[in-house]
Amino acid sequence: MSIPPVEDAAPAVLVPHWLSAADRTEVERAVRAALAGAPVHPVAAIHLGEVLTELHVAAAREAVWPAPVARVRRATGWGEDVIPVRLSAVELASVLTLPGLAPVARDALTGGRSR
């Protein structure tokens, strides 16, 4: 199995990670590749599935309620394609353990636009 389970320290806390469209595409690609590739621990697979769900929920949230995110983008100067993707600590850890995740997406998840 390629990804061990990650301990879930705070499952109810979702932290927004402000990701561009390119970042979201890369995260989705890496997660899908991991799930389609070598066997993944069942618990890790659940967390990765939740990440895929949140990527789609984030896009839907932006379509339904664009004003709050637009205010943040105006205040920060971030691009029009940047939206918050809310991940728990265990979901984030599951994504960050993916060996195929591009460094640019890894930086976006851990860098300046996170939190």
Side-chain angles (χ1 to χ4, degrees):
M1 300 200 183
S2 64
I3 301 174
V6 179
E7 292 298 319
D8 196 356
V13 178
L14 298 178
V15 177
H17 299 275
W18 293 79
L19 304 178
S20 68
D23 298 333
R24 294 189 310 276
T25 299
E26 171 55 21
V27 169
E28 182 174 359
R29 184 210 57 78
V31 169
R32 288 190 186 282
L35 292 173
V40 176
H41 189 280
V43 175
I46 290 169
H47 295 307
L48 292 173
E50 290 170 350
V51 171
L52 290 177
T53 299
E54 173 54 22
L55 288 169
H56 295 288
V57 168
R61 192 181 308 116
E62 166 67 5
V64 175
W65 297 291
V69 174
R71 285 192 296 272
V72 171
R73 286 192 296 245
R74 277 193 305 274
T76 60
W78 292 336
E80 289 297 313
D81 66 338
V82 174
I83 63 173
V85 176
R86 299 170 184 171
L87 301 175
S88 70
V90 71
E91 292 165 348
L92 176 62
S94 293
V95 172
L96 294 176
T97 63
L98 297 176
L101 184 64
V104 67
R106 188 176 306 279
D107 291 345
L109 287 165
T110 60
R113 286 195 315 248
S114 294
R115 301 178 207 269

